[in-house]
Amino acid sequence: MIKKESLERWTIEDAADIYGIRNWGAGYFDISSDGNVVFLPCRKDEKKSISLTEIIEGIKARGLDMPVLLRVGNILDSQISLLHESFRSAISKFSYKGEYRGVYPIKVNQQQQVLEEVTRFGRKYHHGLEAGSKAELIAAISLLHDPDACLICNGYKDEEFIDLALYATKMGYKCFIVLEMPGELDMLLERSEKLGIAPLLGVRVKLASRAGGHWTESGGDRSIFGLTISELVDVIDKLKMKNMLDRLMLLHYHLGSQIPNIRDIRSAVVEACRVYSGIVQEGAAMGYLDLGGGLAVDYDGSQTNYVNSRNYTVDEYCADIIETVISTLDENQIPHPTIVTESGRATVAYYSVLLFNVLDVSRFETRVLPDSLPEGINENVINLLDAYKSINLKNLRECYNDAIFYRDEIRQLFKHGDVSLRDRALAENIFWHIMVAVSKNTQNMKTIPHDFDGLDAALADTYYCNFSVFQSLPDSWAIGHVFPIMPIHRLNEQPSRKAIIADITCDCDGKIDKFIDAHNVRNTLPVHNLKADDEYYLGAFLVGAYQETLGDLHNLLGDTNVVTIRVDENGDYFFVGELEGDSVSDVLTYVEYDIKAMKTRLRESAEDAVRKKRISVNERAEILKAFEDGLNGYTYFER
Ligand SMILES: *Cc1c(COP(=O)(O)O)cnc(C)c1O
């Protein structure tokens, strides 16, 4: 990992390699010749690369502090285009007779700015929205103004939800009400009759097909959503009876998010096409086949079927779907439907980067060993030193195990009062020298034995960083999801330290000790030494999907500042949106504190302290001002 031949000059190519940026960056991120991470709003067009360090300067000049969530509008546009252009070319390549309609599932990032952007740019492709709740439907109706775009209503529905969706249909939206539960049908029929609005009906089914990955439970028989095949038949019968089978137009399934293996995607499409054919043969109108989400993001850049990756490109995804639909439906001469997908993650993940500064470092350091051991020192300490002196590539494991054995013995003896404080300190120091020597030797091994798992992390520095994992990278904490993280500058210098990252919550889970690697994950991140007067910045990339609203207020660290930029045709960029993050009084209000009452109480206790002559009237004023400033301040560390 760290370059062996230190004589060989370190170049940005080496940096690109160890951080994998050209693999996961998907053409949007790279390193400039002066060692800064840049983004390329128009994928691979190097003329328009913009450095993140420069953006940070611009952010600071506008008075905003780190951490900042940076969104690059162009990248979102580019991802929407990529999806539509890929489907367009697959449709023409295979002479598919239907169309493609994308919808953006709001739950993936519900921020108003994101929806505005998706609907504004998506307009030329008739990109629609998917709503899973009443609130999302209301947001969708207010932002989507395109009668050719689909508005898909999933999720549990009460009367209010159904009424809203029916009104949307009446207003001219292509608003599909998708039955998730058998019980929803009666209510829907009743409301539609009462309001006199004929619904556009869809059904969500549980397929037997399943997918690997983090979210496997969303699909398959055990998924909590959707109708079983028998329930689907009941729905068809009921609609037939009511003479409303012509209202059934869409079949939907959702296998789960981040599906790493294209085989799973294909096999679900085959099964869904069989169901679709069956419904058409029953006499339903149909016309739409909605394959849900699942299009994965290659977070580690490995292009494999590992959970953080995917073994297909967007082009291959589209081509496989179109080809599979054609071959399955053509067998029964079923007309080609409009294909709908609900890609959320792949649409928005690339467009946000979390930028944060390093506040402090706790370095792993061994102390110099004395030339000789004191007379009469416990023999376990002598053994430990002997083990250290005898280390070579052949006896690594033996020395490692001996070291742990002797150290434990010494700790036992210490507990019984048989080893002094200084002797124990000396022993621990020798122990860590052994660990360092073992770790150095393992770097020359092809495969590192499992015995040494965790050694790297034990010898790593801790870099304390100005952000909250719980607020900004909740999936990293909750499900062990791995995002690409790296320094955004000084990449023309060889990183000399290995670190794990700790956030500023005081929770021992508030850390990151899993990092992307081309072959699995690694436990430490290569980083640079901090320089006394310079900030050191890291970026967590590909965080646009799911992270913003799932985050919580752990330790009352609130929303970060958000900045959106846009690059024009000339390569000039502009700040198009600045959202100030939560202040301390904001987050206190979220947990029901009454700020006014807090101020009154503080004024009273300060007055009391004046009366008791603990503070002067001037000091009282200063204290009240500090309190006021604290309430108005950012919840993160401010320099
Ligand atoms: C969450 C969800 C999606 C989004 O899936 P991605 O993998 O993020 O594209 C799509 N459809 C439904 C029904 C969902 O619940």
Side-chain angles (χ1 to χ4, degrees):
M1 205 188 301
I2 302 285
K3 244 187 159 182
K4 280 162 216 145
E5 302 293 327
S6 47
L7 291 178
E8 235 176 86
R9 225 172 71 78
W10 173 268
T11 67
I12 58 154
E13 303 302 315
D14 299 311
D17 269 358
I18 62 167
Y19 296 112
I21 189 168
R22 289 184 187 145
N23 304 328
W24 53 257
Y28 293 122
F29 299 99
D30 204 342
I31 302 176
S32 64
S33 54
D34 58 353
N36 289 299
V37 170
V38 293
F39 68 84
L40 299 89
C42 308
R43 294 182 105 205
K44 300 186 175 151
D45 179 356
E46 281 181 32
K47 285 198 295 288
K48 290 183 192 156
S49 74
I50 292 159
S51 108
L52 292 182
T53 337
E54 190 185 318
I55 302 282
I56 288 182
E57 291 311 316
I59 290 171
K60 290 210 297 211
R62 285 166 176 81
L64 291 178
D65 271 315
M66 295 290 118
V68 164
L69 185 76
L70 173 69
R71 300 194 185 122
V72 182
N74 307 63
I75 295 185
L76 178 55
D77 298 352
S78 170
Q79 283 299 97
I80 293 174
S81 288
L82 176 67
L83 189 63
H84 285 273
E85 297 303 337
S86 297
F87 266 112
R88 189 174 286 179
S89 85
I91 283 173
S92 106
K93 179 172 168 201
F94 298 105
S95 308
Y96 187 72
K97 309 236 169 39
E99 298 186 319
Y100 169 71
R101 285 283 184 272
V103 297
Y104 172 71
I106 297 175
K107 75 156 192 280
V108 182
N109 190 331
Q110 307 92 331
Q111 302 289 321
Q112 183 173 336
Q113 270 193 356
V114 177
L115 257 70
E116 281 171 357
E117 183 62 32
V118 168
T119 48
R120 191 191 58 73
F121 182 81
R123 175 89 197 211
K124 65 176 163 195
Y125 297 111
H126 304 302
H127 203 78
L129 295 170
E130 184 262 4
S133 67
K134 277 183 280 189
E136 289 185 356
L137 177 58
I138 288 169
I141 291 173
S142 77
L143 285 166
L144 190 67
H145 304 286
D146 179 355
D148 289 321
C150 295
L151 171 51
I152 309 252
C153 300
N154 290 327
Y156 289 106
K157 295 167 206 71
D158 59 8
E159 215 175 276
E160 225 172 77
F161 194 159
I162 288 176
D163 284 5
L164 275 170
L166 287 169
Y167 287 134
T169 312
K170 184 146 199 193
M171 280 159 61
Y173 287 92
K174 208 184 279 294
C175 179
F176 291 96
I177 301 175
V178 179
L179 299 175
E180 302 247 8
M181 315 265 296
E184 283 170 352
L185 181 58
D186 286 337
M187 197 201 318
L188 177 87
L189 293 174
E190 190 209 318
R191 293 312 299 166
S192 120
E193 197 178 317
K194 191 143 209 168
L195 301 179
I197 304 170
L200 303 178
L201 254 185
V203 276
R204 175 168 180 171
V205 288
K206 290 181 188 178
L207 298 180
S209 309
R210 303 195 55 170
H214 277 308
W215 289 273
T216 52
E217 295 294 313
S218 308
D221 291 335
R222 294 199 45 229
S223 111
I224 49 176
F225 292 115
L227 307 180
T228 63
I229 299 298
S230 339
E231 287 164 346
L232 170 65
V233 172
D234 294 343
V235 165
I236 291 172
D237 286 343
K238 184 163 267 174
L239 288 172
K240 259 187 197 163
M241 214 172 65
K242 298 258 173 189
N243 225 353
M244 281 183 72
L245 206 49
D246 61 331
R247 302 313 303 169
L248 182 55
M249 298 183 176
L250 175 143
L251 174 70
H252 166 56
Y253 71 89
H254 173 64
L255 217 51
S257 198
Q258 183 68 16
I259 298 172
N261 197 338
I262 188 83
R263 261 204 345 236
D264 294 334
I265 291 172
R266 220 181 296 135
S267 112
V269 171
V270 172
E271 190 185 351
C273 284
R274 296 283 177 221
V275 177
Y276 183 90
S277 306
I279 303 176
V280 171
Q281 285 160 344
E282 288 284 334
M286 299 309 278
Y288 292 83
L289 177 59
D290 173 359
L291 314 177
L295 174 56
V297 166
D298 193 0
Y299 290 97
D300 64 15
S302 67
Q303 301 180 15
T304 59
N305 62 2
Y306 184 65
V307 285
N308 297 311
S309 185
R310 63 171 186 212
N311 63 3
Y312 53 90
T313 62
V314 175
D315 272 339
E316 285 159 0
Y317 172 83
C318 299
D320 265 38
I321 286 174
I322 295 295
E323 211 183 353
T324 310
V325 172
I326 292 177
S327 69
T328 319
L329 295 185
D330 281 0
E331 274 180 41
N332 297 313
Q333 285 103 44
I334 304 289
H336 296 171
T338 297
I339 305 254
V340 179
T341 67
E342 306 177 344
S343 284
R345 180 184 297 278
T347 308
V348 292
Y350 289 96
Y351 126 94
S352 305
V353 185
L354 180 73
L355 300 168
F356 51 92
N357 51 334
V358 177
L359 298 172
D360 207 349
V361 178
S362 147
R363 276 176 74 120
F364 173 83
E365 248 153 351
T366 50
R367 284 157 188 76
V368 180
L369 287 176
D371 295 332
S372 60
L373 294 177
E375 278 297 307
I377 195 162
N378 185 283
E379 106 189 75
N380 286 289
V381 185
I382 301 172
N383 294 341
L384 204 53
L385 189 63
D386 287 344
Y388 175 58
K389 287 180 176 157
S390 70
I391 288 188
N392 61 52
L393 202 52
K394 292 213 178 73
N395 69 358
L396 273 193
R397 220 192 223 143
E398 187 186 330
C399 285
Y400 175 80
N401 289 322
D402 284 355
I404 290 173
F405 175 79
Y406 294 128
R407 182 194 60 170
D408 291 350
E409 287 290 299
I410 291 159
R411 286 182 171 178
Q412 263 332 94
L413 291 165
F414 177 78
K415 264 201 228 163
H416 292 116
D418 297 333
V419 161
S420 73
L421 193 68
R422 283 190 178 273
D423 288 356
R424 175 166 167 195
L426 177 56
E428 305 260 348
N429 191 24
I430 302 171
F431 173 82
W432 286 112
H433 275 277
I434 296 176
M435 295 300 127
V436 171
V438 169
S439 162
K440 273 204 182 112
N441 275 293
T442 57
Q443 281 170 24
N444 301 323
M445 292 178 157
K446 277 212 192 68
T447 49
I448 300 173
H450 281 305
D451 296 30
F452 303 141
D453 283 356
L455 186 56
D456 246 14
L459 300 179
D461 297 337
T462 303
Y463 274 49
Y464 294 93
C465 297
N466 196 12
F467 78 112
S468 156
V469 168
F470 307 94
Q471 176 63 254
S472 293
L473 302 173
D475 278 346
S476 156
W477 162 68
I479 54 168
H481 188 74
V482 185
F483 295 96
I485 294 178
M486 66 180 287
I488 59 149
H489 55 160
R490 294 175 61 188
L491 295 162
N492 45 5
E493 286 171 50
Q494 179 167 4
S496 54
R497 311 293 300 179
K498 290 181 185 176
I500 62 166
I501 288 175
D503 72 5
I504 59 168
T505 66
C506 52
D507 191 309
C508 56
D509 282 338
K511 64 170 186 212
I512 297 175
D513 55 5
K514 296 274 180 297
F515 302 93
I516 59 145
D517 187 69
H519 320 280
N520 217 325
V521 291
R522 63 177 171 217
N523 301 318
T524 60
L525 181 71
V527 288
H528 302 89
N529 264 318
L530 294 196
K531 290 186 188 157
D533 295 320
D534 293 341
E535 287 278 18
Y536 187 55
Y537 295 108
L538 301 178
F541 292 82
L542 277 47
V543 299
Y546 297 104
Q547 304 314 295
E548 280 187 55
T549 320
L550 279 176
D552 65 31
L553 288 175
H554 204 28
N555 276 120
L556 296 185
L557 293 166
D559 275 345
T560 65
N561 294 322
V562 181
V563 164
T564 307
I565 59 172
R566 226 168 220 294
V567 184
D568 67 14
E569 308 79 51
N570 307 320
D572 296 325
Y573 66 90
F574 302 94
F575 284 62
V576 293
E578 276 167 62
L579 293 174
E580 228 177 306
D582 289 326
S583 68
V584 169
S585 65
D586 289 336
V587 297
L588 286 170
T589 313
Y590 297 154
V591 284
E592 312 292 340
Y593 282 85
D594 178 346
I595 305 289
K596 259 199 177 141
M598 288 169 82
K599 286 186 191 170
T600 308
R601 277 201 299 274
L602 184 83
R603 257 185 244 117
E604 282 164 9
S605 54
E607 193 53 38
D608 190 46
V610 171
R611 213 176 305 131
K612 291 186 175 135
K613 303 208 183 329
R614 300 177 76 92
I615 58 172
S616 69
V617 178
N618 282 343
E619 283 168 335
R620 178 184 185 269
E622 274 166 33
I623 291 170
L624 292 182
K625 172 153 190 327
F627 191 79
E628 190 69 37
D629 290 348
L631 280 172
N632 294 333
Y634 200 18
T635 58
Y636 294 90
F637 193 95
E638 297 173 289
R639 292 258 196 235

